Amino acid sequence: MEGETPSPLRPANAEAVEPAKPTKPPKAPKAQKGSKGPKQPKPTAPKKVTAQKEPVVPKDPDSMFKEGFLHDVYNEKPSQSVVTRFPPEPNGYLHIGHSKAIAINFGFAKYRGGECYLRFDDTNPEAEEQKYFDAIEDMIAWLGYKPYKVTYSSDNFDKLYKLANTLIREDGAYICHCTDTEVKLQRGGDKGGPRYACPHRDRPQEESLQEFEAMKNGKYKPREAFLRMKQNLEDGNPQMWDLAAYRILDASHHRTGSTWRIYPTYDFTHCLCDSFEGITHSLCTTEFELSRVSYEWLCDKVKIYKPMQREYGRLNLTGTVLSKRKIMKLVSEKIVRDWDDPRLYTLIALRRRGIPPSAILSFVNELGVTKSGSNIQIARFEQSVRKELDMMVPRVMLVLDPIPVHIEGLEDSDLDLIKDISFHPKNSNHGVRDLIFSKTVYIERSDFREEDDPKYFRLAPGKAVGLLNVKYPIKAIEFKKDPISGLVESITAKYERPERDATFKKPKAYIHWVAESSEHGSPITAEVRIFNRLFKSENPDSAEGGFLSDLNPESEEIYRNAKVEVGFKEVQKKAMQSKADKVATDGSCSDGLESIRFQGMRVAFFCVDNHVDGDRLVLNRIVSLKEDSGKA
């Protein structure tokens, strides 16, 4: 938002930032000195065969449902009316791991012609806030899904309470007054000792019914009494060791207010709400695999419809943290701006960074779905994003760290608009624009060297370089330096028009540039934020001293005087028109300013920051370009 305080992590000295140079192949070793001997005939070189590249075939966006785990799950229980659900707890913001659950549950139902509920598991009023409800709905819409219905576990509080009474009458639950420590010991303690029954386990059913009513009416304080399911202590599965079904909470509920003092647990609520909603395939991560036994036990015990639960491996990114507690620590200590800081991997952060939702879904689809968890490196995710953006976004010229170049030798005819330059060389749908060329242009500081080098092909004294889309190259003839900073502050160059009838020699390199022209409102000045990895290692939690000691001090670099070509205005206009068209068609659109995306040629992919008001332009780097983007 306007005037927000940047992270205390060190902003870059913009002048020091230079595109990385590619690794050069090693030179062949020189022959040893000595007598040459008789000259040997050269062997006949084999005829070079050019390999034919296979055309790149986009991965089927439905492949995760057509094969593998989800295909098998459907065949295990075919249904004409598939019903799934996505059941988040509204106590935090969704992260990239949740995108897999969303894609699976909504996508599975859609592919099979069914419906998917968005059900908020709102059974813990102490941790729930309205902002989380709103953000979850917003992120599901942003990913392109529309729930069949939005429901709440609290919709069923009356039903759940009645079924809890039924469970007691069926000798399937009892009121317990044990402390947390006592319950832990009953379950074998930390060392896996012998398990034994709670002393209240065999109390008469009528007594438990009366005590349950007393819990509801306020007789007990939190932790003085709770309802436990009477399962099977001999079972090797800890999810059958008399789990809690109801507990007392002194908290007002966002929907039911102070009506209830007792609230059902996840283990009691989840399977019953699945049953109420007619869920056919209850799909969840493998951390709930042991819970399948208690899920089915409870449905059978209260004699209601039993959905089929199956579990898949969760998605996790290495090199970052996804835990709510850890992200809260980063926010509270002002290491990041908020939960939507683009260096994080919450969905609202990825949206602000400009990651297209289609890139996230493609990434999930490419990984596929199995029982095994996925620990994926950030670089793998970013490669999927690049692939998605490459054809999706237009290309314009942006100079991060500008130096003005005053060009001599230009004629009036050279200063005409450079007409009909494509926004994308391979995608004509992006259209064309006219480029402004003038006697002063801005180039990247990293594209100029004060001293020439034979292996350097960009601008240097006495050396020519091409300007993208400009007919002839320019040659640097002098430069001026700031006496205090010692940095180059301006360059004078000559326009290298060939002599009449001379052969034009194409320069070895071309660089991007932005013209200065007050008549055309060029350039557009912007603040550009380059986001790098927030942590230095692949496993921040394993760092000595904890994850906070693994912070990357250069995770954010800020360029406050970047120059953008005026063609950006056309990109902006088209993006806003696309949003208006979606609103007209669908009645709503979750796209914000971050949907104004483009490739800054030779630099990176960018979007407009969605937290800035007014005329100030702030751009966020989405991802860098491919590995050879720093080519000299």
Side-chain angles (χ1 to χ4, degrees), residues 463-478:
K463 175 167 282 183
V465 71
L467 299 177
L468 289 171
N469 296 305
V470 175
K471 192 170 184 180
Y472 299 121
I474 61 172
K475 180 187 287 184
I477 54 179
E478 65 176 10

Side-chain angles (χ1 to χ4, degrees), residues 78-126:
S79 174
Q80 293 296 318
S81 302
V82 166
V83 184
T84 62
R85 82 290 170 271
F86 175 62
E89 297 177 64
N91 60 5
Y93 294 101
L94 302 180
H95 56 66
I96 191 167
H98 293 110
S99 67
K100 181 175 182 178
I102 293 169
I104 287 175
N105 281 287
F106 281 92
F108 182 81
K110 181 180 178 181
Y111 180 71
R112 295 297 176 182
E115 304 288 357
C116 181
Y117 284 84
L118 166 59
R119 183 203 310 143
F120 288 108
D121 183 23
D122 57 341
T123 57
N124 183 11
E126 293 179 334

Side-chain angles (χ1 to χ4, degrees), residues 58-97:
K59 188 172 178 67
D60 182 349
D62 291 326
S63 63
M64 61 191 277
F65 308 112
K66 293 179 178 178
E67 57 195 24
F69 175 82
L70 293 176
H71 175 266
D72 295 342
V73 165
Y74 178 77
N75 284 344
E76 190 176 350
K77 185 180 180 179
S79 174
Q80 293 296 318
S81 302
V82 166
V83 184
T84 62
R85 82 290 170 271
F86 175 62
E89 297 177 64
N91 60 5
Y93 294 101
L94 302 180
H95 56 66
I96 191 167

Side-chain angles (χ1 to χ4, degrees), residues 313-560:
R314 68 187 304 169
L315 168 62
N316 185 52
L317 277 190
T318 62
T320 188
V321 295
L322 300 178
S323 150
K324 295 171 191 172
R325 179 182 59 81
K326 291 171 185 173
I327 295 176
M328 181 66 79
K329 185 79 170 173
L330 294 170
V331 173
S332 63
E333 296 196 8
K334 301 189 184 302
I335 294 167
V336 296
R337 292 173 172 84
D338 206 337
W339 289 76
D340 65 351
D341 188 292
R343 290 165 291 181
L344 298 175
Y345 283 82
T346 57
L347 291 184
I348 55 173
L350 293 176
R351 174 179 175 172
R352 183 176 181 182
R353 182 172 148 191
I355 304 291
S358 56
I360 296 175
L361 297 180
S362 293
F363 173 63
V364 171
N365 186 55
E366 287 169 7
L367 295 176
V369 182
T370 66
K371 294 281 286 188
S372 301
S374 303
N375 291 308
I376 307 299
Q377 291 184 322
I378 287 174
R380 171 69 179 79
F381 171 66
E382 290 186 342
Q383 185 56 34
S384 290
V385 175
R386 282 190 200 96
K387 186 165 60 176
E388 191 77 9
L389 289 170
D390 186 50
M391 296 295 286
M392 174 191 288
V393 301
R395 301 179 182 182
V396 301
M397 291 191 286
L398 173 150
V399 176
L400 287 175
D401 187 12
I403 302 178
V405 180
H406 307 293
I407 306 173
E408 297 180 348
L410 288 170
E411 299 176 358
D412 290 343
S413 59
D414 297 319
L415 300 176
D416 290 339
L417 293 176
I418 305 173
K419 293 283 189 179
D420 298 332
I421 302 300
S422 173
F423 273 115
H424 197 295
K426 298 178 182 178
N427 188 348
S428 60
N429 291 330
H430 289 300
V432 298
R433 85 282 198 192
D434 296 338
L435 276 180
I436 299 159
F437 185 50
S438 68
K439 292 181 179 180
T440 297
V441 300
Y442 294 94
I443 68 167
E444 291 285 1
R445 185 173 299 279
S446 58
D447 281 336
F448 177 75
R449 282 190 183 177
E450 297 176 33
E451 295 182 11
D452 191 17
D453 184 303
K455 298 176 182 178
Y456 181 75
F457 301 120
R458 285 170 279 171
L459 195 61
K463 175 167 282 183
V465 71
L467 299 177
L468 289 171
N469 296 305
V470 175
K471 192 170 184 180
Y472 299 121
I474 61 172
K475 180 187 287 184
I477 54 179
E478 65 176 10
F479 60 90
K480 294 180 181 178
K481 297 176 70 171
D482 184 289
I484 299 174
S485 68
L487 296 172
V488 174
E489 61 180 7
S490 69
I491 302 167
T492 301
K494 179 185 176 184
Y495 193 53
E496 289 286 278
R497 181 187 291 103
E499 298 292 333
R500 186 184 298 274
D501 298 328
T503 302
F504 170 62
K505 185 178 180 181
K506 186 177 179 181
K508 291 186 177 180
Y510 283 82
I511 62 176
H512 62 286
W513 54 277
V514 176
E516 182 180 89
S517 172
S518 57
E519 177 187 353
H520 297 91
S522 179
I524 300 169
T525 299
E527 176 182 307
V528 176
R529 299 169 182 171
I530 304 293
F531 297 108
N532 302 309
R533 286 177 53 162
L534 185 57
F535 298 97
K536 292 180 288 188
S537 73
E538 283 297 311
N539 186 1
D541 290 330
S542 67
E544 185 176 350
F547 74 102
L548 291 180
S549 64
D550 193 46
L551 290 167
N552 174 14
E554 297 182 349
S555 67
E556 182 179 64
E557 305 165 14
I558 301 177
Y559 297 85
R560 302 190 188 280

Side-chain angles (χ1 to χ4, degrees), residues 271-290:
C271 60
L272 301 182
C273 286
D274 276 359
S275 181
F276 300 156
E277 293 176 350
I279 303 302
T280 56
H281 300 78
S282 182
L283 306 173
C284 54
T285 54
T286 50
E287 65 191 282
F288 296 103
E289 188 164 14
L290 293 179

